[in-house]
Amino acid sequence: MIVGVSQSSGKMSRSDELTREGVPWNEFTDRRGSEISGEAEPSQYMYQIIEGAVRTYKLLSDGRRQINAFHLPGDVFGVESGEVNRFTADAIIETRVRLTGRQIIFENASCRKSSAMDNILHLITKNLEHAESHMLLLGRKTSLEKVAAFVLEMDKRPTAAGVMILPMGRRDIADYLGLTIGTVSRALSILKNRGALTFIRQAQREIVLRDRRKLAELES
Amino acid sequence: MIVGVSQSSGKMSRSDELTREGVPWNEFTDRRGSEISGEAEPSQYMYQIIEGAVRTYKLLSDGRRQINAFHLPGDVFGVESGEVNRFTADAIIETRVRLTGRQIIFENASCRKSSAMDNILHLITKNLEHAESHMLLLGRKTSLEKVAAFVLEMDKRPTAAGVMILPMGRRDIADYLGLTIGTVSRALSILKNRGALTFIRQAQREIVLRDRRKLAELES
DNA sequence: CGACTCCTTGACAGCGTTCAACAGTAGTGG
DNA sequence: CCACTACTGTTGAACGCTGTCAAGGAGTCG
């Protein structure tokens, strides 16, 4: 990681507000694939992504992996940890994050009284909400429904600007949806053949949604 | 629901401490199968279970169901809601719960400053932790691993006292694990045949764990 | 251009579902 | 207390969705 210094800026979302509580943030750049924080390590920091993409996941002993969430620019993660991290976080592509000690937030009396606590509660609640919908997806949706839901979810993210550029590969998508690479690939082909989306310039990670209505129906 | 009046009592767990903040709780009894709170309704209350069992779940439009969690005596749920409930909660068996308005907790200044906020954060964090492990289970474990994990999870609950008496039926277990009734039943039979557990007196909901080590190995 | 990784696609196998029959359990009323 | 009924759980057989394995194509980077 390369150390830098950050300054809060940009639009005021709920997560950005946290950065205005007079808390010092340090900025880092993580290379593609590098680990930001590891499962079962003491959790010291919370992170906000400036640029890039991060995946958080859990592993089974034999290597099976479940990605809990993808974090894109603006997202905050690590707030919800207890004493130790419950999952691993690493950079999918080159990523700039800024971080701050968690105890600064939780032990600082002025923070507790301020709206910072509301923001933290809001962030954690959002996480929980996402986790609960994702359980429904993992437990009860078909592969086609899962992939349609994934595409629509990514479409709602700030990345979207006409063309959707996915930072993650098929392996990551599969581990997020509880599928295999092959099934993800097949489902995307089906969606393409049905006219719900198209790929750009033969690059499989650049997608244009052609029929959000059809996708929403397929999501179930 | 039948109205009653409650008084805090019993051992002091993290969730019990919340009941000692001078907050008024009302007590209710819910009959088997009755809905306690519905998805998308405004969320007004948080609940603690005194006796019985509650399931919280989400539904797809065609009736497919995913149970997020089972709540047993002592458990608190509903703290984590935002403006509206994100899931439905109903009683699996006859259940006594006590409830209190959520805004009393969140808007009361004395509560905010006190340890009540720590307890709330702790409860929500526990929920999130459970949701994340459950995603790993739903997305990446086999049917046998899922059922073994379920049995071990229930074994850790206060219900356990030599014999484990499951309040929920096979349908609920299936919808919790992302399986069907048949698969759950088959997996339990396999565990029984392998000597990992036994049923009591032909009652399929009373289980004795014979080999927790073997179950733990099968879990993953 | 060459080597590597990533993605797609096909053939096949297998796990879990579906459907159905049966058995065991519980609930109800005579 | 028993008979009747409805519900719940078990088990078998066949199907199908998704996984597995492999080959080949496309993209990327040196």
Side-chain angles (χ1 to χ4, degrees):
Chain A
M1 300 214 290
I2 301 156
V3 184
V5 180
S6 78
Q7 190 61 35
S8 177
S9 68
K11 66 181 195 305
M12 288 290 289
S13 76
R14 201 80 179 220
S15 49
D16 287 329
E17 286 175 27
L18 264 180
T19 70
R20 317 241 321 161
E21 303 290 342
V23 172
W25 289 77
N26 287 319
E27 190 172 319
F28 292 88
T29 299
D30 291 271
R31 289 221 309 281
R32 183 170 180 247
S34 72
E35 182 173 305
I36 295 171
S37 69
E39 186 172 350
E41 290 175 2
S43 65
Q44 299 183 295
Y45 307 108
M46 44 185 283
Y47 308 82
Q48 183 174 34
I49 298 179
I50 301 170
E51 194 177 357
V54 168
R55 62 189 165 222
T56 54
Y57 58 87
K58 281 173 173 285
L59 292 172
L60 290 175
S61 50
D62 60 0
R64 281 175 287 175
R65 183 179 65 158
Q66 177 63 46
I67 295 180
N68 298 306
F70 294 114
H71 301 280
L72 300 179
D75 291 355
V76 172
F77 68 94
V79 204
E80 69 283 3
S81 297
E83 293 300 305
V84 298
N85 297 324
R86 296 190 305 279
F87 42 72
T88 308
D90 57 30
I92 298 174
I93 53 179
E94 177 152 327
T95 298
R96 281 191 301 141
V97 299
R98 54 187 183 188
L99 57 86
T100 194
R102 292 179 60 249
Q103 74 285 1
I104 290 179
I105 299 287
F106 287 97
E107 291 174 6
N108 185 327
S110 74
C111 284
R112 293 187 65 90
K113 273 187 272 188
S114 76
S115 63
M117 190 54 82
D118 284 337
N119 289 327
I120 288 175
L121 276 172
H122 186 260
L123 285 177
I124 299 180
T125 298
K126 280 291 173 196
N127 281 343
L128 200 49
E129 189 171 336
H130 178 265
E132 284 160 357
S133 331
H134 207 58
M135 283 192 276
L136 179 61
L137 178 146
L138 289 170
R140 286 302 179 214
K141 289 188 180 178
T142 66
S143 63
L144 196 60
E145 289 168 346
K146 286 177 176 179
V147 173
F150 169 75
V151 172
L152 285 173
E153 182 185 352
M154 288 300 126
D155 184 48
K156 290 184 194 113
R157 296 302 197 86
T159 318
V163 171
M164 184 165 76
I165 300 175
L166 299 176
M168 70 293 282
R170 298 292 189 267
R171 159 74 56 193
D172 288 332
I173 300 176
D175 286 348
Y176 180 60
L177 300 177
L179 298 171
T180 58
I181 292 182
T183 305
V184 170
S185 191
R186 266 180 254 275
L188 283 171
S189 296
I190 292 172
L191 294 178
K192 188 181 69 180
N193 294 336
R194 292 193 189 174
L197 52 80
T198 54
F199 297 108
I200 295 294
R201 300 194 311 174
Q202 282 93 342
Q204 298 109 326
R205 294 193 188 181
E206 301 181 15
I207 294 177
V208 176
L209 301 197
R210 291 247 173 262
D211 192 342
R212 288 184 175 76
R213 182 165 198 155
K214 187 176 290 183
L215 283 168
E217 286 169 10
L218 287 170
E219 183 182 357
S220 171
Chain B
M1 300 213 294
I2 301 155
V3 184
V5 179
S6 79
Q7 191 61 36
S8 175
S9 68
K11 68 181 193 304
M12 287 292 287
S13 76
R14 200 80 180 222
S15 49
D16 286 329
E17 286 174 26
L18 264 179
T19 69
R20 318 239 319 159
E21 303 291 342
V23 171
W25 290 77
N26 288 320
E27 190 170 319
F28 292 86
T29 299
D30 292 89
R31 289 221 308 283
R32 183 169 180 248
S34 73
E35 182 173 304
I36 295 171
S37 69
E39 186 172 351
E41 289 174 4
S43 64
Q44 300 183 296
Y45 307 108
M46 45 185 282
Y47 308 82
Q48 183 174 36
I49 298 179
I50 301 169
E51 194 178 359
V54 169
R55 61 188 164 223
T56 55
Y57 57 88
K58 280 173 173 282
L59 292 172
L60 290 175
S61 50
D62 61 358
R64 281 175 288 175
R65 184 178 65 158
Q66 176 62 46
I67 294 180
N68 298 306
F70 294 114
H71 301 280
L72 300 180
D75 291 353
V76 172
F77 68 94
V79 204
E80 69 285 2
S81 297
E83 294 299 305
V84 298
N85 296 324
R86 295 190 307 279
F87 43 71
T88 307
D90 57 30
I92 299 175
I93 52 179
E94 175 153 328
T95 299
R96 281 191 302 140
V97 300
R98 55 187 181 188
L99 56 87
T100 193
R102 292 179 60 249
Q103 75 284 1
I104 291 180
I105 299 288
F106 286 97
E107 290 173 6
N108 185 327
S110 74
C111 285
R112 293 186 64 89
K113 272 188 273 189
S114 76
S115 63
M117 190 54 82
D118 284 337
N119 288 327
I120 287 174
L121 276 172
H122 186 261
L123 284 177
I124 299 180
T125 298
K126 280 291 173 197
N127 281 343
L128 200 49
E129 190 171 335
H130 178 265
E132 284 159 358
S133 331
H134 207 57
M135 285 192 275
L136 180 62
L137 177 147
L138 290 170
R140 287 302 181 216
K141 289 188 179 178
T142 66
S143 62
L144 197 60
E145 289 168 344
K146 286 177 176 180
V147 173
F150 169 76
V151 173
L152 285 173
E153 182 185 351
M154 288 301 126
D155 184 48
K156 291 184 193 112
R157 297 302 197 86
T159 316
V163 173
M164 184 166 76
I165 300 175
L166 299 175
M168 72 291 286
R170 297 292 188 266
R171 159 74 55 192
D172 287 333
I173 300 175
D175 285 348
Y176 180 60
L177 299 177
L179 298 171
T180 57
I181 292 181
T183 304
V184 170
S185 189
R186 268 179 251 275
L188 284 171
S189 296
I190 292 172
L191 294 178
K192 187 181 69 180
N193 293 335
R194 292 193 188 173
L197 52 81
T198 54
F199 297 108
I200 296 295
R201 300 195 313 176
Q202 282 94 339
Q204 297 109 325
R205 295 191 187 182
E206 300 181 14
I207 294 177
V208 177
L209 302 197
R210 291 246 173 262
D211 191 341
R212 289 184 174 76
R213 181 165 198 154
K214 186 176 290 184
L215 283 168
E217 286 169 10
L218 288 170
E219 181 181 357
S220 158

